[in-house]
């Protein structure tokens, strides 16, 4: 495994030079490597352990676990899809060679994180992933420069808290290896230490998966990164955060560690704290997503909300909640990746990501639209897509635990997700096509095939979820969270909740039957006359032929509702306090302190220096510690 | 042979004064010869050279042990690398040679007053270097502060003399100094050396000198800085046996935070790097002040990484600042320089794959082992800020749209050296022991005052 | 008149019992509709209900005079309605221009421009007359005689000619010139 | 196979029963307004008339949306248990959340198809409908979670069985039942909450472009939706009952909702949200608290 990672890292540099010669060859090679990696993750036997070497007297090692397999598989699905997508998409980019290099580094870094057995290895690969992704982000438009800095800083805040926690653990137990830490933590008598450590470790996950206090980078980074890379950011890199959160509550068995800290229906207080953060993220993400006009930022906020779902699910440490949270990783990864790729396609053709400037693209880009449609069905958690299953499990867990407020917030986020996913659907794809986009064409197949493949996977897993539930069940068994019943019952085609179950196949069949019945009814009655919504584009001086209160309208974009889509609702919270502003104020504060120090100590005249020198001597003499 | 390190550059400097046009070749020769000498000296560590047959404690002696050898090695290599840049060196070859002599003398000397003399020469040459490109006001500030610091240093030396009756470091270390006197002595040394070692709030000169022209940061931020921080260790660890280290610790922590925040505020690339080097010096000093073998070793390991990284950063930054009016996106034109710059700044931040990661992480781990939770917290906080401005600069230099359309021809030598050093940083990450082994020896030599004394005393007994 | 199939007969009888109405209220006649809808006369008992858009509507009620500007819109709206569709001309204005017969901008006969199935005479017709007209229209639909929509299709050229003659060609097509 | 027959029965009852009830509702409203009103079968006439017309289609997504809407509604209506375990077509799949989300397929299909028509009125209507959903679903789902928490099951036929021994939820948790009923009115889109379809201001909102059979199919879909919504309420709060009782309770709930709606004017969209997130949501949480504390009848 280690050779694989090192080979990837080295080859990424090689690929830079290949891509310098011809970036298309480089990106094709990337895609092939990625496909090989997907194949490869299935062949590594579980439990394989590889020692990398010694660092500071501690052995660094990789271990192939069920969790690692699951997360690697999901990540690779997203990355490989984007790699294929990039084969064509890259021709709209300025730095294709660097993109090819860094995306391979991101792959290596993330795989390393999922394979890491100890916290230091995890940290090293984590930073590789962060560093390489940080260098891709500023390849986008103007604001992406700032985005990269915000991303790096937020990520660093979390990462260094993680590091602090890791070293606290080390100074107490003398080991970085996660299984051993788990054992030691379970037997540690000091509650405050355990709480501090677990929360510090979780901090990296919080920063990375965009959970509440550190969520603001998602908007700016996802919103401004190169379009296809946003798919990787939201679909894959954010999941690194979920993985670390999972480590902090599941790999370190929080139920055992905090056995004396049970707060409410068996959920320990630190987990509850994390769940509260997750719930706050759901609220913020949903509300902010609803009011975005920039479609990428909209989905960025939705990633905040979905990160919250994952955390809420995992945080409960309930068998169902855990499975739901982990399955949500898969669902959200696929859905967000497809959505961002669809947006990348739109931007590729129209060069704008403002919903208010778009519209009616379904007439020009129907396949992209289909991909987007199915992705949002999954994201909103509507059967028969797989997104429903994870939401269902999380609800089951919340209801079982009687966590009504969290449940209410989860419901709010779920219904809110209908609102925000519909906004781009209506504003970008449906409605009237603005005149300036009348010559827009569908993106080439190499761009839409990856989207459709991901959508198809999500769809199949929604109808027959057992293959994807199996690794999650294995994982859950690893962490010792055993339900009293079989959740994924493939023999009876059932997914079971704490009571009550459902049969995804029946649901799908019913839907198909309903659709067929509707279709039969549809064909029985008179054939419709087609209204050509594109007539104003094709024919000079033709008004649009829909209900206009008798008015003649020749400029279709005037008759398209996409600005302030939920104005009635947005008005209710337009004066909301902004966490982002608060964080900027904090940054400004440090900046001001810097200015103050600069003005008082570094800029003055020689006489002031002399003064400070004298003061130093005086103070030292006086205080002398 | 040790003495040649000091004498040779001085002689060459005098020769250069005679014939101006020879000065640059002489600089190159002297640095090359010096590097060769240093490499040859490897076999004769540890050894003590007694000047003029006046045996210590009465005469001046030069001490070459693991610590000073390493410092001399770094300093001479830096000077050699600087000497390669003819345009940058310009008319300052003579000054550089004098400075080289001063640095070598400062590091090698075993005599307190002698070290004061070399410190003064160092300051004087530093002032001259700083005044390049009409950077007079900042040079003047440095002059005032440097000479004040020198006088403090001298004062401390006098106090030591009154207490010990000798100016020899080994002697000062050997004899117990009264409790009252040592407070004054250490504090005066702290202040005197603190100016060179960029201790807050004595480091006001740094941004002006480092940010003022294209030559002084290359030398001052690397070789001189290394020498000063070496001396810090030598004085406070070897000579005064760990006295006043807690003061140093607190000041160092303040230095870290102040340096990073000032760098965050700074809009000028060179000055940003200058403040960053203040902060790095703070980290090194804090680590030195822990006075355990591992921490001291890591301090010099970190310092080495910092010196390499800073050398590359300043090498690239000075080129950019003095060739382009607007720096947005300049790395698109100078990819190699850009890569070296990025690697060095990443190393400074401490990203894995680069040398800085090794030193920072080891430092953190060591601190936790000794249950010091404050320093790691400050260090990590500082790292976040450091990351903020370095990433900001990297992004600006790589990705912003180019505004200055002028195209300066890529400097091949600069690019080669910076990329080689950058690759060295990656190499250090992969094999940290190439630096860690010598720095461990450095730490041992600095902390083991007994063997230092024995060395010197033995030389006085047995003669050369 | 063509013989209707059984399905068409059933459909026609259904159509007659469920008349969704789009009232094009340009003139004073709109005044008479509220009483027709509300408790006193209650047209919903005949299955007549107001609708918001032409797509949903079956009958179009032109409640008063039409000037050339509104006529364009009426025709536009009429063409947006789904077949089969019926038009009721309401009040004398639609029949002969009413008191505006000599205005330069008012059209006098509606059925030059779109086929009218039922006219209601009077200025103003009372709600009773309106209900009577609905019932008459229902009767016509049931018998399959309300075939204005077919006539419009068959004689489209003629209608178009009349329309252009009265309205003139529009040369600049944008939102401000229509 | 019996499951299929039962499902078909569900659909047949939903179609004939609910569409008649809609006609009856019109009649009731008319009587309240002192009108005679249309006959009870008026809605059948309306639907079949609509189906018989020659419609306009605004593109393939318009067609697809309508089919998806009807398909989703049919699928959901087929799962709903009609008052007892016996009349539960799919006892393994009658999970509350499954029904709620499967139900959303229809809504999404309708929203998509209608906005796909290219009419901004539809888009405004859909935006209102979705906002309204945010309003009423929240208290409803909170009440439902307390119901499910109390009986430890989310399977509807099991909930009916539990009520048979424990008493109707209307008595067990009257606050919850009231909140659910208020939500039900919003779900049905009846009078104070017919913001999405407001014909006078936004030209019947989502339906602005519907003609002929599209209108007819959506009316059928609407009937199935009503069946799902009211049926769920009857099952969950009125204890279901045998098929006959189920239908009787259905009628009672429907008539009650009609009576309330026929005397009320329309909310504005923010007023609706403030209303639902005020008292009903508070009561829903109160109900949840009572359930947690065991203070149920």
């Amino acid at each position: 495994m280690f050779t694989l990672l090192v080979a990837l890292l080295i080859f990424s540099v090689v690929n830079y030079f290949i891509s310098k010669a011809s970036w298309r060859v480089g990106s094709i090679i990337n895609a092939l490597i990625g496909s090989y990696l997907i194949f490869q993750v299935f062949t590594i036997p579980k439990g394989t352990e590889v020692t990398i070497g010694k660092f500071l007297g501690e052995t660094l090692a990789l271990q192939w676990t069920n969790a690692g397999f699951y997360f690697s598989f999901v990540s690779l699905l997203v990355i490989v899809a984007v790699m294929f997508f990039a084969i064509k998409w890259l021709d709209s980019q300025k730095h294709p060679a660097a993109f090819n290099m860094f995306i391979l580094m991101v792959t290596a870094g993330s795989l390393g994180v999922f394979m890491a057995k100890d916290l230091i290895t995890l940290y090293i690969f984590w930073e590789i992933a962060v560093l390489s992704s940080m260098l891709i982000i500023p390849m986008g438009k103007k604001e992406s420069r700032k985005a990269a800095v915000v991303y790096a800083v937020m990520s660093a805040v979390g990462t260094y808290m993680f590091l602090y926690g890791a070293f606290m653990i080390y100074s107490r137990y003398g080991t970085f290896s996660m299984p051993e830490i788990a054992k030691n933590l379970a037997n540690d008598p000091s509650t405050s230490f355990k709480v501090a450590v677990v929360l510090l470790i979780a901090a990296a996950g919080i920063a990375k998966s965009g959970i509440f206090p550190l969520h603001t980078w998602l908007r700016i980074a996802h919103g401004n990164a190169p379009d296809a890379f946003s798919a990787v950011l939201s679909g894959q890199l954010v999941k690194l955060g979920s993985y670390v959160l999972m480590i902090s509550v599941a790999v370190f068995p929080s139920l055992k560690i905090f056995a004396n800290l049970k707060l409410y229906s068996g959920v320990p207080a630190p987990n509850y704290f994390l769940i509260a953060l997750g719930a706050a993220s759901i609220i913020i993400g949903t509300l902010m997503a609803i009011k975005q006009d920039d479609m990428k930022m909209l989905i960025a906020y939705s990633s905040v909300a979905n990160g919250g779902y994952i955390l809420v699910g995992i945080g409960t440490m309930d068998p169902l909640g855990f499975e739901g949270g982990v399955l949500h990783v898969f669902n959200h990864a696929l859905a967000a990746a497809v959505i961002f790729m669809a947006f990348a396609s739109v931007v590729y053709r129209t060069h704008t990501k403002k919903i208010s400037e778009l519209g009616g693209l379904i007439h020009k880009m129907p396949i992209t639209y289909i991909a987007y449609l199915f992705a949002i069905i999954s994201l909103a958690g509507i059967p028969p897509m797989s997104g429903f299953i994870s939401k269902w499990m999380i609800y089951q867990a919340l209801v079982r635990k009687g966590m009504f407020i969290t449940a209410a917030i989860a419901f709010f986020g779920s219904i809110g997700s209908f609102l925000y996913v519909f906004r781009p659907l209506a504003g970008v794809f449906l409605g009237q096509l603005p005149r300036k986009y009348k010559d827009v064409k569908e993106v080439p197949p190499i761009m839409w095939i990856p989207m459709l493949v991901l959508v198809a996977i999500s769809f199949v897993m929604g109808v027959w979820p057992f293959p994807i539930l199996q690794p999650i069940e294995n994982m859950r068994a690893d962490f010792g969270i055993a339900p009293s019943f079989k959740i994924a019952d493939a023999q009876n085609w059932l997914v079971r909740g704490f009571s009550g179950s459902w049969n995804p196949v029946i649901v799908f069949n019913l839907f198909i039957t309903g659709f067929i019945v509707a279709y039969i009814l549809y064909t029985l009655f008179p054939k419709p006359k087609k209204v050509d919504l594109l007539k104003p584009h094709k024919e000079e001086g033709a008004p649009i032929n829909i209900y206009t209160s008798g008015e003649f309208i020749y400029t279709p974009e005037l008759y398209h509702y996409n600005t302030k889509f939920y104005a009635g609702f947005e008005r209710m919270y337009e004066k909301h306090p902004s966490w982002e502003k608060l964080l900027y104020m904090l940054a400004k504060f440090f900046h001001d302190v810097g200015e103050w120090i600069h003005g008082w100590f570094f800029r003055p005249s020689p006489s002031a220096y002399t003064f400070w020198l004298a003061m130093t001597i005086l103070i030292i003499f006086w205080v002398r510690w | 042979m040790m003495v040649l390190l000091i004498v040779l550059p001085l002689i060459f400097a005098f020769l250069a004064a005679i014939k101006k046009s020879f000065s640059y070749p002489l600089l190159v020769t002297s640095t090359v010869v010096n590097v060769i000498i240093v490499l040859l000296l490897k076999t004769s560590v540890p050894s003590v050279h007694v000047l003029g047959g006046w045996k210590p404690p009465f005469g001046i002696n030069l001490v070459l042990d693991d610590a000073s050898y390493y410092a001399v090695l770094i300093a001479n290599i830096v000077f050699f690398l600087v000497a390669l840049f003819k345009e940058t060196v310009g008319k300052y070859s003579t000054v550089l040679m004098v400075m080289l002599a001063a640095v070598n003398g400062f590091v090698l000397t075993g005599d307190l007053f002698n070290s004061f003399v070399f410190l003064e020469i160092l300051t004087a040459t530093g002032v001259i270097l700083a005044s390049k490109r009409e950077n007079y006001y900042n040079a003047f500030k440095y002059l005032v502060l440097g000479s004040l610091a020198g006088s403090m240093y001298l004062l401390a030396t006098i106090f030591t003399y009154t207490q010990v009756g000798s100016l020899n470091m080994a002697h000062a270390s050997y004899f117990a100094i009264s409790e009252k006197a040592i407070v004054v002595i250490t504090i005066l040394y702290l202040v005197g050396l603190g100016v060179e070692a960029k201790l807050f709030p004595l480091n006001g000169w740094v941004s002006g000198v480092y940010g003022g022209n294209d030559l002084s940061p290359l030398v001052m931020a690397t070789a001189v800085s290394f020498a000063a921080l070496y001396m810090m260790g030598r004085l406070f660890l070897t000579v005064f046996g760990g006295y006043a280290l807690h003061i140093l610790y607190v000041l160092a922590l303040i230095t870290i935070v102040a340096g990073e925040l000032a760098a965050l505020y700074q809009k000028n690339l060179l000055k940003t790097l200058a403040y960053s080097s203040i902060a790095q010096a703070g980290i090194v000093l804090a680590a030195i002040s822990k006075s355990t073998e591992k921490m001291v070793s890591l301090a010099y390991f970190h310092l080495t990484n910092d010196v390499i990284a800073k050398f590359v950063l300043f090498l690239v930054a000075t080129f950019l600042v003095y060739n382009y009016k607007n720096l947005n996106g300049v790395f698109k034109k100078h990819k190699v320089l850009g890569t070296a710059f990025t690697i060095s700044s990443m190393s400074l931040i401490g990203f894995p794959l680069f040398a800085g990661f090794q030193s920072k992480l080891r430092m953190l781990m060591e601190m936790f082992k000794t249950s010091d939770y404050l320093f790691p917290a400050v260090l990590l906080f500082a790292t976040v800020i450091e990351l903020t401005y370095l990433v900001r600069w990297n992004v600006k230099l790589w990705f912003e749209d180019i505004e200055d359309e002028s195209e300066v021809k890529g400097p091949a030598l600069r690019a080669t050296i910076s990329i080689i050093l950058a690759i060295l940083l990656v190499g250090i990450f992969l094999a940290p022991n190439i630096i860690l082994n010598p720095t461990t020896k450095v730490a041992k030599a600095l902390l083991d005052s007994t063997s230092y004394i024995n060395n010197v005393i033995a030389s006085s007994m047995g003669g050369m | 008149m063509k013989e209707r199939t059984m399905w068409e007969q059933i459909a026609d009888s259904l159509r007659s019992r469920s008349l969704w109405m789009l009232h094009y209220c340009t003139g004073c006649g709109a005044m008479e509709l509220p009483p027709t809808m509300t408790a006193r006369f209650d047209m919903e008992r005949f299955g007549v209900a107001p609708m918001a858009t032409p797509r949903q509507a079956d009958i179009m009620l032109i409640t008063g005079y039409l000037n050339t500007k509104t006529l364009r819109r009426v025709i536009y709206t009429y063409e947006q309605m789904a077949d089969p569709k019926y038009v009721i001309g309401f009040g004398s204005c639609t029949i002969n221009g009413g008191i505006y017969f000599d205005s330069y901008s008012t059209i006098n006969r509606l059925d030059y421009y779109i086929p009218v199935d039922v006219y209601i005479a009077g200025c103003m017709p009372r709600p009773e007359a309106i209900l009577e007209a609905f019932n008459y229209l229902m009767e016509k639909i049931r018998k399959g005689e309300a075939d204005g929509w077919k006539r419009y299709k068959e004689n489209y050229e003629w209608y178009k000619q009349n329309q252009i003659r009265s309205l003139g060609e529009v040369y600049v097509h944008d939102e401000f010139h229509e | 196979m019996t499951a299929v027959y039962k499902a078909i029965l569900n659909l047949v009852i939903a179609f004939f029963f609910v569409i008649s009830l809609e006609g009856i509702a019109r009649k009731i409203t008319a009587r309240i307004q002192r009108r005679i009103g249309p006959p009870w079968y008026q809605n059948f006439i309306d639907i079949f008339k609509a189906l018989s017309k020659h419609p306009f289609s605004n593109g393939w997504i318009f067609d697809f949306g309508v089919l998806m809407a009807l398909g989703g509604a049919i699928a959901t209506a087929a799962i709903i248990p009609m008052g007892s375990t016996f009349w539960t077509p799919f006892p393994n799949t009658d999970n509350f959340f499954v029904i709620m989300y499967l139900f959303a397929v229809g809504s999404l299909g309708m929203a998509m198809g209608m906005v796909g028509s290219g009419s901004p009125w539809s888009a405004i209507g859909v935006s209102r409908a979705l906002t309204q959903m945010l309003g009423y679903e929240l208290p409803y789902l909170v009440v439902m979670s307390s119901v499910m928490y109390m009986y430890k099951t989310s399977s509807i036929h099991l909930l009916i069985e539990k009520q048979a021994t424990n008493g109707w939820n209307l008595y067990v948790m009257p606050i919850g039942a009231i909140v659910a009923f208020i939500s039900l009115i919003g779900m049905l889109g009846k009078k104070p909450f017919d913001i999405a379809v407001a014909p006078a201001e936004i030209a019947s909102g989502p339906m602005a472009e519907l003609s002929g059979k599209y209108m007819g199919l959506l009316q059928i879909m609407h009937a199935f939706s009503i069946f799902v919504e009211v049926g769920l309420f009857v099952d969950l709060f009125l204890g279901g009952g045998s098929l006959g009782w189920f239908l009787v309770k259905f009628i009672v709930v429907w008539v009650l909702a009609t009576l309330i709606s026929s005397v009320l004017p329309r909310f504005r969209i923010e007023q609706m949200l403030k209303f639902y997130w005020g008292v009903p949501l508070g009561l829903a949480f109160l109900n949840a608290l009572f359930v947690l504390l065991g203070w149920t009848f």
Side-chain angles (χ1 to χ4, degrees), chain B residues 316 320 329-335 337-338 341 394 397-398:
Chain B
V316 177
L320 299 179
V330 278
F331 284 159
K332 285 175 192 162
K333 298 175 202 158
H334 302 285
K335 290 237 162 84
L337 283 181
F341 185 91
N394 269 299
L397 295 175
W398 272 109

Side-chain angles (χ1 to χ4, degrees), chain A residues 343-424:
Chain A
F343 287 167
S345 310
V346 169
V347 177
Y348 182 77
R349 288 300 193 205
T350 63
H351 309 293
T352 179
K353 56 196 174 89
K354 291 266 178 287
I355 296 173
S356 54
E357 291 172 10
L358 292 162
L361 285 179
I362 183 175
H363 303 295
K364 298 291 175 185
M365 307 172 76
I367 303 174
T368 311
Y369 168 78
I370 291 285
Y372 177 77
L373 174 66
F374 281 93
I376 65 163
I377 291 179
S378 185
L379 191 68
I382 296 175
M385 300 297 284
S386 63
F388 171 66
I389 301 170
S390 55
K391 279 200 174 173
W392 183 79
M393 285 175 167
I394 293 171
Y395 294 156
Q396 287 281 329
L398 291 178
V399 170
R400 183 174 101 113
K401 297 251 171 202
M403 295 159 71
F404 292 114
I405 295 179
T406 315
I409 291 169
F411 297 143
F412 170 76
S414 173
I415 301 155
S417 72
F418 297 169
L419 267 75
Y420 61 68
V421 296
F422 201 79
R423 189 172 177 151

Side-chain angles (χ1 to χ4, degrees), chain B residues 128-181:
Chain B
I128 300 171
L129 284 189
S131 64
K132 197 188 171 194
R133 285 186 186 261
E134 305 189 339
N135 188 22
Y136 299 129
Y137 182 58
N138 288 324
F140 172 64
K141 288 204 273 191
Y142 180 41
L143 177 65
V144 172
L145 212 51
S147 46
L148 265 174
S151 53
M152 296 296 156
Y153 197 89
L154 180 60
L155 216 59
T157 311
I158 293 168
F159 275 122
T160 319
Y161 186 67
T162 58
Q163 287 293 315
V164 185
S166 145
L167 287 167
N168 194 288
M169 288 185 191
H171 257 233
S173 168
Y174 185 66
F175 291 108
I177 303 171
S178 79
E179 189 66 22
K180 272 184 187 162

Side-chain angles (χ1 to χ4, degrees), chain B residues 203-370:
Chain B
N203 45 15
W205 58 275
V206 174
S207 65
V209 173
Y210 288 10
N213 60 46
D214 54 349
L215 179 55
S216 55
L218 285 184
V219 190
M220 305 280 283
T222 52
V224 177
S225 170
F226 198 101
L229 289 166
Y230 158 78
M231 205 54 180
M232 215 76 184
R234 179 58 91 198
L235 279 184
F236 284 88
L237 298 177
T238 318
V239 179
F240 299 113
Y243 199 83
L245 286 178
H246 49 298
I247 300 178
L248 183 61
Y249 180 61
V250 173
L251 282 181
L253 290 190
I254 299 176
T255 310
I256 300 173
V257 176
E260 299 290 17
L261 286 174
L264 179 69
Y265 164 75
Q266 194 48 252
K267 296 276 183 293
N268 178 317
L269 176 57
L270 286 179
K271 288 192 174 174
T272 308
L273 295 175
Y275 288 124
S276 147
S277 103
I278 290 178
Q280 297 295 333
I283 294 173
V284 173
L285 285 174
I288 289 175
S289 75
K290 300 314 285 184
S291 78
T292 60
E293 187 189 313
K294 279 219 158 158
M295 277 313 280
V296 176
S297 144
L298 288 173
Y300 287 102
F301 181 29
H302 190 75
L303 184 57
T304 314
N305 295 339
D306 177 46
V307 163
I308 300 173
K310 276 283 150 54
F311 191 80
V312 177
L313 290 177
F314 276 118
L315 207 56
V316 177
T318 49
F319 168 75
L320 299 179
V321 167
Y322 292 109
N323 283 302
Y324 290 97
K325 283 205 179 65
N326 190 315
L327 295 184
N328 284 357
V330 278
F331 284 159
K332 285 175 192 162
K333 298 175 202 158
H334 302 285
K335 290 237 162 84
V336 179
L337 283 181
T339 313
F341 185 91
T342 306
I343 290 177
S344 309
S345 46
M346 294 307 154
S347 166
L348 216 52
I349 297 166
F351 272 116
L353 297 186
F354 309 111
F357 169 79
Q358 290 278 3
S359 54
K360 259 190 190 168
L361 220 65
R362 279 158 200 265
M363 224 182 252
L364 284 173
M365 187 141 159
E366 239 0 84
M367 295 317 299
F368 274 102
K369 269 190 184 155
T370 52

Side-chain angles (χ1 to χ4, degrees), chain A residues 55-56 123-124 127 131 135 138 142 145 153 160 164 167 170-171 591 594-595 598 602 609-610 620 625, chain B residues 141 148 187 203-204 261 265-267 275 346 351-352 357-358 362 365 368 373 383 388 395 399-400:
Chain A
F55 180 67
L56 310 137
Y123 168 74
I124 292 174
E127 288 284 43
L131 179 61
L135 291 171
K142 189 88 186 155
R145 265 61 109 177
V153 173
Y160 292 138
Y164 199 86
F167 280 119
Y170 180 72
S171 68
H591 192 263
E595 187 181 3
H598 190 254
F602 291 141
Y609 290 151
T610 321
I620 294 173
W625 282 282
Chain B
K141 288 204 273 191
L148 265 174
I187 288 173
N203 45 15
L261 286 174
Y265 164 75
Q266 194 48 252
K267 296 276 183 293
Y275 288 124
M346 294 307 154
F351 272 116
F357 169 79
Q358 290 278 3
R362 279 158 200 265
M365 187 141 159
F368 274 102
Y373 297 112
T383 309
T388 313
V395 167
F399 294 105
E400 286 291 348

Side-chain angles (χ1 to χ4, degrees), chain A residues 233-487:
Chain A
L233 268 180
S234 178
Q236 195 269 323
L237 278 166
V238 166
K239 303 299 174 278
L240 292 182
S242 306
Y243 182 72
V244 167
L245 285 170
M246 195 197 72
I247 285 176
S248 63
V249 297
V251 175
F252 304 160
S254 52
L255 291 183
K256 262 189 229 155
I257 297 176
F258 302 118
N260 54 346
L261 272 184
K262 296 276 166 64
L263 189 67
Y264 175 76
S265 64
V267 181
N271 289 25
Y272 223 94
F273 175 70
L274 291 177
I275 291 175
L277 291 183
S281 318
I282 295 178
I283 294 180
I284 292 175
T286 308
L287 285 179
M288 295 309 291
I290 287 172
K291 65 181 285 195
Q292 294 303 313
D293 182 39
D294 183 315
M295 57 189 179
K296 286 177 69 185
M297 289 188 185
L298 188 148
I299 299 301
Y301 273 118
S302 115
S303 298
V304 174
N306 281 287
Y309 267 102
I310 295 168
L311 180 54
V312 166
I314 295 177
T316 56
M317 284 302 282
D318 176 275
L320 272 166
F322 179 80
E323 270 195 34
V326 175
L327 181 58
H328 205 70
V329 168
F330 169 80
N331 293 331
H332 179 247
L334 261 56
V338 174
I339 289 174
F340 272 119
M341 280 194 272
F343 287 167
S345 310
V346 169
V347 177
Y348 182 77
R349 288 300 193 205
T350 63
H351 309 293
T352 179
K353 56 196 174 89
K354 291 266 178 287
I355 296 173
S356 54
E357 291 172 10
L358 292 162
L361 285 179
I362 183 175
H363 303 295
K364 298 291 175 185
M365 307 172 76
I367 303 174
T368 311
Y369 168 78
I370 291 285
Y372 177 77
L373 174 66
F374 281 93
I376 65 163
I377 291 179
S378 185
L379 191 68
I382 296 175
M385 300 297 284
S386 63
F388 171 66
I389 301 170
S390 55
K391 279 200 174 173
W392 183 79
M393 285 175 167
I394 293 171
Y395 294 156
Q396 287 281 329
L398 291 178
V399 170
R400 183 174 101 113
K401 297 251 171 202
M403 295 159 71
F404 292 114
I405 295 179
T406 315
I409 291 169
F411 297 143
F412 170 76
S414 173
I415 301 155
S417 72
F418 297 169
L419 267 75
Y420 61 68
V421 296
F422 201 79
R423 189 172 177 151
L425 186 84
V428 175
F429 290 105
L430 303 177
Q432 299 289 343
L433 184 74
R435 193 152 289 194
K436 59 182 164 183
Y437 300 130
K438 66 175 179 172
D439 296 325
V440 162
K441 280 200 283 292
E442 177 62 275
V443 289
I446 194 67
M447 284 169 82
W448 55 254
I449 287 173
M451 292 193 261
L452 288 192
V453 167
L454 287 193
V455 157
I457 292 172
S458 179
F459 181 76
V460 171
M461 289 304 144
V463 179
W464 186 253
F466 306 106
I468 195 74
L469 283 174
Q470 196 50 49
I472 300 175
E473 298 245 291
N474 296 343
M475 219 161 128
R476 204 200 59 220
D478 287 352
F479 299 142
I481 319 165
S484 50
F485 49 87
K486 198 166 164 47
I487 292 179

Side-chain angles (χ1 to χ4, degrees), chain A residues 531 541 543-548 550-555 558, chain C residues 24 52-55 72-73 76-77 79-80 83 173-175 178:
Chain A
V531 173
I544 55 178
N545 185 17
I546 56 175
Y547 169 64
T548 56
E551 192 53 78
F552 291 86
I553 291 179
Y554 298 94
T555 316
L558 292 181
Chain C
Y24 198 86
T53 77
R55 296 287 194 217
R72 282 179 61 78
R73 278 139 183 87
Y76 179 51
T77 309
E79 287 180 356
Q80 285 184 343
D83 295 336
H173 293 289
D174 68 21
E175 284 75 14
E178 290 286 349

